[in-house]
Structures are given as C-alpha cells and as structure tokens.
Amino acid sequence: MAPPRRPPELMAELVEEVLLRLPPDDPSCLVHASLVCKPWRRLLSDPGFPSRYRQFHQTPPLLGFIRNTYTIVSDSEVSCFVPTTAAPPFSPLPLDEWDRGWVLDCRHGRVLLDWRDWDTGLIRLAVWAPIAGDVKVLPRLPYCIPSLCCKAAVLCSMRGGGCDHLDCHGGAFRVVLLGSDLQGSKACVYSSEAGAWTAPASIHFQETTYTDCWFRPTLVGDDDLYFRINICGIIVKYDLGKHCVSVLEDPPFRCHYNSVLMVTEDVLLGAAIIEGSSLRLWSREVKPKGAAVWIQRRVIELDTLIPSADSHSFNRQPATRFAEGLGTIFVSIDTGLFSIDVKSWRVKKVGEPTDCYKCIPFMSFYTPDFATRRLSKRRRVINPSR
C-alpha cells in the first residue's frame, strides 16, 4: 500500500495572512511562530513584515501597567512594570542611575519619569522609550513655575496626522509641563528636536482651597491637552498649536475621586465616574451659540456588566483609568482590575485589585524588528547635565 501523500504546502502569501493575525498583545507568539520552520522564519524576518503587521492591527496593544508605589522600608517612591503578557517584552525601569523615580505619563510608546537628582536636590524629568531602550534626561527649566502642583505629559512631536504612532517611540518627542498654585497656572514645552524649553504660557485664577489629585493628562485630537489640577473641579486646557492656557469646569460630580477624563468616540473631551455600582459617561459638547456644556451620555450598571461583580464588590472605593488610543476604561473593584471596551462593552479581567490612580497603561507593538534593535545596542542614557 502506497504511503499517503503529503498535503500541499500553503502558499507563502497565505501563510503571511495567517501570521499577520497573530495577537499583538502577546509578543511571544511571533517568536514561537518563527521557530516552527525555516519558511515561517523567513517570512517573519522580512524587513517589511513588522510594518505590515502594525498596519494590519492599527491599535497598539496593552502590554502592561507602570505602577507607582511608595516603599516605607526605603522611604522612597519607585515605579515598576506589571506585564499583562506571559513574558515581559523589555527590561525593568532604568532606576540604577538615580535613587528614586515616579512615572508621570505614558503616551506614544514613551514614558515620562520624574526623577529626583540627589546631587542637586532638584526634581528632574526624563523620557524613557522602553521598546527602544533609551533614556533622555531633560535639561532644567531656565525659569520658575508654580510648584504647588506640577503635572506633565509626553507625546510624539508630529502633529496634524503626520505620524500614525505605531512605531514612533524612538523619534522626536515633546514634553508639556504645567505648574499650578492658588493664583493660576503656567505651561511650557520641551522639544527634543530643539533641545530647549519654550517660554511659559500662563493664566490667572483665584482659588481659596486646593487639594492635589493624581490624574494623568488627557490628549484630545492633536493639540488639546487637559490637566485636572484640583480635586475641587478645575481643569486646565493647554493648546499645543496656539501655546495658550485656559480653564474650564469639571462635570457636576458629587465626588471627583472616582472619575477620569477621557476621549469620546467623536473625539471630544469626556469623563467617566463611578457612583455606587454605576459607571456614568459624560462629554463636553458645544451648543449652537458657542457655549460648552457637560452632558451625561450613558449610565452602565457595572454589577451586571462585570460577571464576577455583585452588590458587595463596590464596598471598597472603586477607581478608574482611561487608556488613550485603546478606547478602554479600567475599573478596579473588590474582585479585580477589569478593562471595559467603550465601543463593544466587552469586559476582561487584567489583574488584581489596585489603585488605578497610580497605574498607567503602557501600549505599544513589540515586533521582531524592535527586538533586534534592542539586542544590537546597549541602553543609552543621555543626560545633558553630566
């Protein structure tokens, strides 16, 4: 009896279509696929495959969270990366050059660190590109800004659709620093291309009380950055294109601790808040006469949306976080940390209960070309003061 004939091999084009559909939120899938056979390895090693892979999936996946913690033992503020994948795709935060580090923001594959330089006693800012493996320490400000509350954002330098942010984490960037006190706010911008800070833009307002809050800034569109600087309900908007600062009111929440600013589906400023077991979604819309008002768009009952939740799951004060570009709200309750897709309302448990205010989602592709670049060079730390 003749042995059975081997089935015909798939055409390379069909194999690539299969490989393109491997999930980007688990970088090890591409590595495992390259070990199947030499033809697959050749396809994955093709210089054009990583770009096609990123274009196919479009949205960078969530690789994990960067969590800020305070350690009593060392009396210091430290940050750690908590992966949501089986194997972390990169090394831990590069804190060996400085004693303390605190993550302020994360966007477009870059992480903004607040580092305390004990040689001078001053707080320094640095931008870490985990995938590229580089650290850029920013020069000190040539002037003073209000220091009661300092918040900052990092983003790609390209504006107006000039970059899709799929693999720009190693390129030029900008950092927006906002300092506020009871009399107003000042904002300035650092450009990695110019290597310098701009002159500050300022706005004056009068506050009788001030309570700082740990909220990450929100980018709406290409130019509008929103900073929540006061738990009492003040939002400062910085316009990157016009280099100007303005103030607007928070939504009419009873309590702002459980709320987070977000971007709506139609690219407007939005907000989400948990009240009891209800998730309430708001958006700031402009009326025909030009006045902007907050409108509540939707109310979601979390005890019915999250399978493991019940009436007791919200005994501990819940917390929220929004991931730009991912369209996902993260909610931490007694039973765990859950991601909620605001379009499909799909729910996924991504971790154990934690303080969302101190967790920043990190999203990026990690394709073979990125891994090759990391292996071909050592991590560089660029410090203009040394």
Side-chain angles (χ1 to χ4, degrees):
M1 182 176 179
R5 291 185 301 175
R6 293 180 57 186
E9 293 187 2
L10 288 174
M11 294 185 296
E13 293 82 359
L14 294 179
V15 174
E16 179 170 321
E17 288 297 319
V18 173
L19 297 177
L20 286 174
R21 286 162 173 77
L22 291 176
D25 56 357
D26 187 358
S28 63
C29 286
L30 293 175
V31 178
H32 294 158
S34 67
L35 301 176
V36 171
C37 59
K38 290 182 178 180
W40 284 30
R41 188 179 307 170
R42 282 195 295 269
L43 286 173
L44 291 169
S45 302
D46 182 270
F49 178 82
S51 177
R52 293 192 293 271
Y53 184 80
R54 293 188 286 267
Q55 288 293 336
F56 179 84
H57 290 280
Q58 287 294 310
T59 303
L62 176 71
L63 297 183
F65 296 87
I66 300 176
R67 189 171 190 271
N68 292 319
T69 59
Y70 177 81
T71 60
I72 300 177
V73 176
S74 59
D75 187 28
S76 62
E77 299 164 344
V78 297
S79 300
C80 61
F81 179 73
V82 182
T84 55
T85 60
F90 45 80
S91 57
L93 286 172
L95 297 178
D96 51 313
E97 285 86 9
W98 287 267
D99 293 324
R100 303 181 183 187
W102 191 261
V103 175
L104 296 176
D105 192 31
C106 178
R107 188 178 289 102
H108 300 158
R110 302 169 180 87
V111 179
L112 180 60
L113 299 169
D114 178 356
W115 265 330
R116 190 173 298 274
D117 187 344
W118 290 108
D119 293 336
T120 61
L122 298 176
I123 294 176
R124 302 294 305 277
L125 296 179
V127 174
W128 174 42
I131 303 299
D134 293 335
V135 179
K136 166 72 175 179
V137 183
L138 275 56
R140 295 185 179 91
L141 285 170
Y143 41 77
C144 294
I145 64 170
S147 58
L148 183 60
C149 172
C150 285
K151 298 184 181 298
V154 61
L155 62 158
C156 173
S157 282
M158 297 294 291
R159 295 171 52 230
C163 181
D164 56 15
H165 308 307
L166 298 182
D167 60 350
C168 69
H169 46 73
F173 63 86
R174 288 173 294 170
V175 171
V176 179
L177 177 64
L178 182 82
S180 306
D181 57 19
L182 297 179
Q183 281 72 48
S185 297
K186 286 186 178 181
C188 50
V189 181
Y190 173 82
S191 168
S192 65
E193 295 173 303
W197 292 92
T198 63
S202 61
I203 187 171
H204 297 280
F205 52 80
Q206 195 68 35
E207 277 293 301
T208 56
T209 60
Y210 188 89
T211 306
D212 192 12
C213 53
W214 204 94
F215 290 114
R216 178 190 172 198
T218 301
L219 177 66
V220 180
D222 288 329
D223 290 332
D224 297 336
L225 267 171
Y226 293 90
F227 298 83
R228 179 179 283 167
I229 64 167
N230 194 331
I231 204 66
C232 299
I234 292 181
I235 299 174
V236 173
K237 172 187 174 183
Y238 175 72
D239 190 315
L240 283 157
K242 299 178 181 178
H243 188 45
C244 64
V245 186
S246 56
V247 174
L248 55 142
E249 294 295 324
D250 243 349
F253 299 150
R254 292 195 301 269
C255 175
H256 296 266
Y257 280 106
N258 296 343
S259 65
V260 62
L261 297 179
M262 57 181 287
V263 183
T264 64
E265 292 183 41
D266 41 2
V267 198
L268 298 173
L269 177 64
I273 185 170
I274 298 178
E275 294 180 344
S277 61
S278 300
L279 175 65
R280 301 179 183 272
L281 302 181
W282 294 68
S283 65
R284 192 169 186 268
E285 302 178 7
V286 179
K287 293 295 184 180
K289 294 185 178 180
V293 296
W294 285 99
I295 298 175
Q296 182 173 285
R297 282 190 166 186
R298 192 166 183 179
V299 179
I300 307 297
E301 297 302 327
L302 295 177
D303 53 355
T304 58
L305 184 66
I306 300 176
S308 60
D310 54 31
S311 59
H312 302 290
S313 301
F314 302 88
N315 292 336
R316 186 176 67 90
Q317 188 179 52
T320 54
R321 171 67 70 184
F322 179 73
E324 291 176 14
L326 202 59
T328 300
I329 296 174
F330 295 92
V331 176
S332 182
I333 59 177
D334 282 351
T335 55
L337 175 64
F338 297 88
S339 65
I340 303 175
D341 188 301
V342 296
K343 292 183 179 180
S344 64
W345 298 109
R346 286 182 296 183
V347 178
K348 178 182 178 182
K349 185 175 181 179
V350 294
E352 297 305 314
T354 185
D355 187 350
C356 278
Y357 298 122
K358 298 179 181 179
C359 287
I360 298 181
F362 180 80
M363 297 167 295
S364 178
F365 286 102
Y366 193 71
T367 46
D369 57 330
F370 293 160
T372 302
R373 289 180 215 168
R374 283 187 61 90
L375 292 174
S376 64
K377 67 176 183 179
R378 297 179 61 186
R379 174 167 53 83
R380 297 182 301 147
V381 178
I382 305 172
N383 190 341
S385 65
R386 296 188 178 184

